[in-house]
Amino acid sequence: MMRTRPLKVALLGCGVVGSEVVRIMTTHADDLAARIGAPVELAGIAVRRPGRVRAGVDPSLVTTDAAGLASRPDIDVVVEVIGGIEPARALITSAFEHGASVVTANKALLAEDGSTLHETAEKHGGDLFFEAAVAAAIPLVRPLRESLAGDKVNRVLGIVNGTTNFILDRMDSSGAGYSEALDEATALGYAEADPTADVEGFDAAAKAAILAGIAFHTRVRLDDVHREGLTDVTAADIASAKRMGCTVKLLAICERAADGRSVTARVHPAMIPLSHPLASVREAYNAVFVESDAAGQLMFYGPGAGGAPTASAVLGDLVAACRNKLNGARGPGESAYAQLPVSPMGEVVTRYHISLDVADKPGVLAQVATIFAEHGVSIDTVRQQGKDGDAWLVVVTHRAPDAALSATVEALRRLDTVRGVASIMRVEGE
Amino acid sequence: MMRTRPLKVALLGCGVVGSEVVRIMTTHADDLAARIGAPVELAGIAVRRPGRVRAGVDPSLVTTDAAGLASRPDIDVVVEVIGGIEPARALITSAFEHGASVVTANKALLAEDGSTLHETAEKHGGDLFFEAAVAAAIPLVRPLRESLAGDKVNRVLGIVNGTTNFILDRMDSSGAGYSEALDEATALGYAEADPTADVEGFDAAAKAAILAGIAFHTRVRLDDVHREGLTDVTAADIASAKRMGCTVKLLAICERAADGRSVTARVHPAMIPLSHPLASVREAYNAVFVESDAAGQLMFYGPGAGGAPTASAVLGDLVAACRNKLNGARGPGESAYAQLPVSPMGEVVTRYHISLDVADKPGVLAQVATIFAEHGVSIDTVRQQGKDGDAWLVVVTHRAPDAALSATVEALRRLDTVRGVASIMRVEGE
C-alpha cells in the first residue's frame, strides 16, 4: 500500500527545537512512514551559521539559503522553527506560494499576523499547523480547533510560560525576591540571557492571543491582549498571597463576556487559592484550563517548553500535514467567523487584593470604605494591621470591572491618610 | 462560500447522551454550520420507545426503524449512541456500506471488535471517530492519534471510570465500606441499578483496550486486558493505604515493555502516593497521564461521563466527519502496523503491598522473608504490628514481575505461621 516517492520536508532553523526534530525524524523514520503511509525525507536544513549545527545532523543537508530551500517546488512540508517575525514570515509565505504546507512553532508571528498566514495557506491550498506555538507538546491547539469544535468555549485560563512559573515557584518556596529567583532561573537555563519576552509577559501574551483566537473563532492579535509582566512582583506580594491561602501565578486568561457579545484576553500576575489545581503547577511546567458549555472544565498539563517536547508537537503536526498532502486533503483553516469585538482591560470583571500603608488614626477605614463605595466597588474583606505607629489595611474586593477597581486605587492614592499603595494584585480562580 | 445543501445526520439512540446531542445541534446550529462550512441537518432519530423521547426533540424525526435510518443513502454521518454490541455493530456496518461516516461513543463495541469496524470504514471510504468512547469530553483519542503521532508513547496511566472513582473517594474520605459507598453512588445517580460494568472494571478495561491500541499502534481487545474490579477493596485496605501516605484508585494502565517488544494493558485497584496528581482526582472526575519519549509526561483531566460532556466529544467528531465529507477527505484510519504482542499480567512489573495476619512468635519474619527471597522478590519495607497476642506483618516489595509476586503470596498462604493474607494491593505511580 505504501507509495515509494517520499514526502519531502524542509527544516528552517536547527537550534534546540530543530535539532530535536532532526533526531526524531532520523531515529523514528520507520514509525513515521508507517503512520503517514509514505516515507518522509528531510530534504534540507536552513541555518544561519552552518558551523554551529549539532552533531548528528547530516552536513550535506545544511544550507544558509533559507529562501531557496523554502521555495523549492519539490518540498511538501516546510517546518519553521526560526522564530521571530522576519525572515520567518517571508519564508512561510514563499513556502505556501510554492505549494508546500507549513508547520510552525512561531507564536510571535502567529500573534502578530496569523490571519495573513492563514489567508495565504487557504489561497494556495496548504495546511498551516502550529501546535508547538502554545505550551509545546501539551495538546491545546488541536483540542480547541477540533475536539471542542462542537462546543462553546467560555474561558481559557492557564500558566503558559515556564520561565515565569519557575521564578514565581522559587519566590513562593524560598521567599526569594524577584531578582534572586531570576538569577537562579538563568543559571539553570530556564531563563534566557535577555529574559524580557518571558518576564514582561510578551511570550504569554502571544499565546493568549492564539488561544483566544481559536477558542472564540475571532481574530485576536498581540495588541489586543492586556499585558503585565512579573517584574513588579515582590516577596511582600508573595507573603501577602500566602496569608490569604493563595499563591501568585502569571496567568493567561481569555474570556467570553457574560452576555456573549465580546471577549477579552489578558496576561498578568494574579493570586489564586492554593486549592486551585493551577496553584500546584511547579517549576517550569504549564497547565491550562478550558471551560466550555457542554464539556465543562478540562485541564491540560505538561512541560511547556524544551527541545524535545516542542519537537513532539512539531512532529505530530508534520504527520498530519504529510497525511493531508498524500490524500489531497486539508486540515481545518482559520475559523474567525464569530468576529467578536475584543474589549479593553477596563471591561474585564475581576477582583483586587489591595494592601495600603495608612496613618494609624481613627476614621481611616471609614475614608477608605467611602472611596470604594463611590466607585461602586464592593468590599469582600478588610484586615487591619498596626505596627509601631504605622498601620496597614488589606482589602479584598468583590468582583467589579477593572476600570472601577483601578479608578478606586487612584483615588485611594490621593487620600492624605494613605501613605502608599504597597501592593495591588488581581485575585482569580475562585 | 457556504454551500446550500445541508449535511444530513442520523442519530441512533436518544437517551442521556443522544438528547444532549439533539439539544446542542439545535441551539448551536449556526455555529456548527460556520465551523463546518455547510449547514448540518438532523435527518432522523432512531429510538426503541418513541414514547420516552425527551421534550425538545422534534417528534417528526423519531423512528423505531434504526436499520432503515442507518442505511438511508442520503445520510452523511451516522451518530451511534445506543451502546452495546448488537444492534450497534450491524447498524454501524450498514451505515458504512451505504456511504456514511460514523461517530460513536461505543467503548464496548470498539474494544470487542474495533478492527472490523475500522476495516469496514476503510473499505467504504468513511471516517470512524470515537472520542466520546473514552473519558467523555476529555480529548484523549485525538491527541493520541494525531498530536502524538510523531512521538513514541510508553505509558498511559489513568482514572477512566467515574463511578468507581466516586466510590473510592467516598471510602477514602468517610471511612465507609464498599457497599455503603456504592449505595451512596447509586442514590446520587453516579452508579447504575446494575453497577457490574463499572465496579467489576469492564468499562475501564474497554477504555484501556482502546487507549492501548491507539497509543501502541497495535490491536488490543478487551480479552487482552487484565481486569480486577473494586468489589474486594475493603475499608481496611483504604486505611492501610493511608498509613503508607497513599490512596486507592482503580487504574487503567497501558505500558510498553522496557525492551519495547511487547505491551500490556490492565485495570485494577492500586495504591498511589498522595503526592501523585491522580491521588487528588475526586468524585466522578477522570484524569489520564500519557508518557512519551519526546513530550514527556502530559496529563488530561475533566468530567469523564455525563450527557453534556459526552455530547461535546460526539459533536467535535461530528464537525470533523462533516468537514471531511464536504472536502472529500478522510481522517486517520486504524494504525496497527506495530502489531506488538500483548503480554499476560504475569509479565507486568509492579510492586505489592501485602498485609499478613501471623502468629506472634519468634522466627516468623525470617520464614516470611525466606519465601520472598525464594521467589526472587526483594522487600522494600516491613512493618510489624502486635495486638492482643496476634501480630501483623505489612510488607511492601520492590518491583518484580506480577507472576513472581503472586506466586510469593500463594507460598505465604501455605505457611503454618501465616493465619491469613488480609490484604494484597499493587502500588503504582512512583
Side-chain angles (χ1 to χ4, degrees):
Chain A
M1 289 284 287
M2 199 176 287
R3 65 170 208 176
T4 44
R5 184 182 88 71
L7 289 148
K8 291 195 181 174
V9 175
L11 179 63
L12 310 180
C14 198
V16 176
V17 176
S19 51
E20 277 296 310
V21 170
V22 173
R23 185 186 65 76
I24 297 173
M25 284 186 70
T26 311
T27 56
H28 290 22
D30 292 347
D31 283 315
L32 292 172
R35 295 174 193 183
I36 291 166
V40 58
E41 177 193 314
L42 191 52
I45 305 170
V47 299
R48 265 189 305 174
R49 301 189 195 84
R52 292 215 190 158
V53 168
R54 279 146 220 248
V57 174
D58 180 353
S60 73
L61 296 177
V62 174
T63 174
T64 54
D65 180 15
L69 179 59
S71 61
R72 264 174 55 178
D74 62 326
I75 298 294
D76 294 290
V77 182
V78 169
V79 173
E80 184 272 309
V81 288
I82 302 172
I85 306 300
E86 291 294 353
R89 175 164 47 193
L91 294 169
I92 290 174
T93 304
S94 171
F96 284 131
E97 288 167 355
H98 290 85
S101 285
V102 173
V103 174
T104 178
N106 195 326
K107 68 211 75 158
L109 177 55
L110 285 162
E112 168 82 16
D113 201 15
S115 292
T116 309
L117 297 185
H118 281 293
E119 279 165 12
T120 310
E122 179 84 31
K123 184 174 162 193
H124 298 282
D127 274 329
L128 173 61
F129 289 133
F130 50 97
E131 184 67 77
V134 184
I138 307 174
L140 275 172
V141 173
R142 188 168 276 105
L144 282 169
R145 273 178 128 181
E146 302 184 41
S147 307
L148 292 167
D151 206 335
K152 186 182 172 193
V153 176
N154 295 313
R155 196 156 188 253
V156 178
L157 169 80
I159 296 166
V160 295
N161 180 274
T163 305
T164 48
N165 200 59
F166 182 89
I167 292 171
L168 289 167
D169 186 29
R170 277 299 184 274
M171 290 175 73
D172 186 85
S173 57
S174 73
Y178 165 73
S179 303
E180 196 183 328
L182 172 61
D183 288 347
E184 190 181 350
T186 310
L188 292 169
Y190 286 115
E192 295 180 44
D194 176 359
T196 311
D198 292 317
V199 301
E200 296 290 0
F202 287 102
D203 174 86
K207 292 164 179 168
I210 295 168
L211 291 173
I214 50 182
F216 304 135
H217 301 269
T218 286
R219 288 181 179 169
V220 180
R221 299 180 65 233
L222 181 60
D223 291 347
D224 298 321
V225 182
H226 175 83
R227 178 187 53 75
E228 297 171 33
L230 51 58
T231 52
D232 294 336
V233 176
T234 63
D237 289 329
I238 307 272
S240 255
K242 279 195 177 173
R243 277 194 295 275
M244 278 185 63
C246 287
T247 187
V248 176
K249 295 291 186 189
L250 187 75
L251 298 180
I253 308 175
C254 313
E255 286 175 317
R256 192 188 289 276
D259 66 4
R261 295 198 189 144
S262 62
V263 298
T264 53
R266 53 189 162 121
V267 167
H268 56 71
M271 295 183 181
I272 56 165
L274 291 176
S275 59
H276 194 283
L278 289 180
S280 53
V281 175
R282 310 298 300 272
E283 305 205 318
Y285 279 85
N286 283 192
V288 177
F289 270 85
V290 177
E291 294 173 17
S292 64
D293 265 6
Q297 202 171 57
L298 304 172
M299 187 177 81
F300 303 79
Y301 170 92
T310 309
S312 171
V314 166
L315 266 290
D317 280 350
L318 180 62
V319 169
C322 287
R323 280 174 178 163
N324 285 347
K325 275 280 169 190
L326 209 54
N327 303 321
R330 277 194 74 214
E334 183 180 34
S335 177
Y337 71 90
Q339 294 184 340
L340 296 167
V342 185
S343 302
M345 187 64 198
E347 293 179 23
V348 167
V349 175
T350 180
R351 300 172 64 197
Y352 271 28
H353 170 280
I354 304 165
S355 183
L356 301 170
D357 178 3
V358 294
D360 189 10
K361 56 185 183 186
V364 173
L365 178 55
Q367 275 189 325
V368 166
T370 303
I371 298 286
F372 279 90
E374 283 171 1
H375 290 84
V377 174
S378 167
I379 291 173
D380 181 19
T381 60
V382 180
R383 202 172 65 239
Q384 297 203 61
Q385 295 173 287
K387 198 179 85 179
D388 305 333
D390 287 341
W392 293 84
L393 277 184
V394 179
V395 180
V396 181
T397 73
H398 280 300
R399 284 162 58 82
D402 201 80
L405 291 160
S406 62
T408 305
V409 171
E410 286 316 302
L412 290 170
R413 284 188 203 278
R414 287 193 300 268
L415 272 186
D416 287 345
T417 47
V418 172
R419 294 174 186 162
V421 178
S423 161
I424 314 167
M425 198 169 289
R426 296 183 188 90
V427 183
E428 297 286 341
E430 287 172 310
Chain B
M1 290 284 288
M2 198 176 287
R3 66 170 207 175
T4 44
R5 185 181 86 71
L7 289 149
K8 291 193 180 176
V9 174
L11 179 64
L12 309 180
C14 199
V16 176
V17 176
S19 52
E20 277 295 309
V21 171
V22 173
R23 185 186 64 77
I24 298 171
M25 285 186 69
T26 309
T27 55
H28 289 23
D30 292 347
D31 284 315
L32 292 171
R35 296 174 193 181
I36 291 166
V40 56
E41 177 192 313
L42 190 54
I45 304 169
V47 298
R48 264 189 305 174
R49 300 189 197 85
R52 291 214 192 161
V53 169
R54 279 149 220 247
V57 175
D58 179 352
S60 73
L61 296 176
V62 175
T63 172
T64 54
D65 181 15
L69 179 59
S71 61
R72 262 172 59 177
D74 62 327
I75 297 294
D76 294 289
V77 182
V78 169
V79 173
E80 184 271 309
V81 288
I82 301 171
I85 307 300
E86 291 294 354
R89 173 162 50 193
L91 294 170
I92 289 174
T93 304
S94 170
F96 284 131
E97 288 167 355
H98 290 85
S101 285
V102 172
V103 174
T104 177
N106 195 328
K107 67 210 75 155
L109 177 56
L110 286 162
E112 169 82 15
D113 200 17
S115 292
T116 309
L117 297 185
H118 281 294
E119 279 165 13
T120 310
E122 180 83 33
K123 184 174 162 195
H124 298 282
D127 275 328
L128 174 60
F129 287 133
F130 50 96
E131 184 66 77
V134 184
I138 307 174
L140 276 171
V141 173
R142 188 169 275 107
L144 282 169
R145 276 177 125 182
E146 303 185 41
S147 307
L148 292 166
D151 206 334
K152 185 181 173 194
V153 176
N154 295 312
R155 197 156 188 253
V156 177
L157 169 79
I159 296 166
V160 295
N161 180 274
T163 305
T164 49
N165 200 59
F166 182 89
I167 292 170
L168 288 167
D169 185 30
R170 278 297 185 275
M171 289 175 73
D172 186 85
S173 57
S174 74
Y178 165 73
S179 302
E180 198 183 327
L182 173 61
D183 288 347
E184 190 181 347
T186 310
L188 291 170
Y190 287 114
E192 294 180 44
D194 176 0
T196 310
D198 292 317
V199 300
E200 297 289 359
F202 288 102
D203 175 85
K207 292 165 180 169
I210 295 169
L211 291 173
I214 50 182
F216 303 135
H217 301 270
T218 286
R219 287 182 180 170
V220 180
R221 298 181 65 231
L222 181 61
D223 292 346
D224 298 319
V225 182
H226 175 83
R227 178 187 53 74
E228 298 171 31
L230 52 55
T231 52
D232 294 336
V233 176
T234 63
D237 290 329
I238 306 271
S240 258
K242 279 195 178 174
R243 276 193 296 274
M244 280 185 63
C246 288
T247 188
V248 176
K249 294 291 185 188
L250 187 76
L251 298 181
I253 308 175
C254 312
E255 286 175 317
R256 191 187 291 275
D259 67 4
R261 292 196 191 146
S262 63
V263 297
T264 52
R266 52 189 164 122
V267 167
H268 55 71
M271 294 184 181
I272 56 167
L274 291 176
S275 59
H276 194 283
L278 288 180
S280 53
V281 175
R282 310 298 301 272
E283 304 204 322
Y285 279 85
N286 283 193
V288 177
F289 271 84
V290 177
E291 294 173 19
S292 64
D293 265 6
Q297 201 171 59
L298 304 173
M299 187 178 81
F300 304 80
Y301 169 91
T310 309
S312 172
V314 166
L315 266 289
D317 280 351
L318 180 62
V319 168
C322 286
R323 280 175 178 162
N324 284 348
K325 275 279 168 191
L326 209 53
N327 303 322
R330 276 194 73 213
E334 183 180 34
S335 177
Y337 71 91
Q339 294 185 340
L340 295 167
V342 185
S343 302
M345 187 64 198
E347 294 178 24
V348 167
V349 175
T350 180
R351 299 172 65 200
Y352 271 28
H353 171 280
I354 304 166
S355 184
L356 301 171
D357 179 2
V358 295
D360 189 8
K361 55 185 182 186
V364 173
L365 178 55
Q367 276 189 324
V368 166
T370 303
I371 297 285
F372 278 90
E374 283 171 0
H375 290 83
V377 174
S378 168
I379 290 174
D380 180 19
T381 61
V382 181
R383 202 173 66 238
Q384 298 204 59
Q385 294 172 288
K387 199 180 84 179
D388 304 335
D390 288 341
W392 294 82
L393 277 184
V394 179
V395 180
V396 181
T397 74
H398 280 301
R399 283 163 58 83
D402 201 81
L405 291 161
S406 62
T408 306
V409 172
E410 285 319 300
L412 290 171
R413 284 188 203 279
R414 287 192 301 266
L415 273 188
D416 286 346
T417 46
V418 171
R419 293 177 187 160
V421 178
S423 160
I424 314 168
M425 199 170 288
R426 297 185 187 89
V427 183
E428 298 285 341
E430 288 173 308

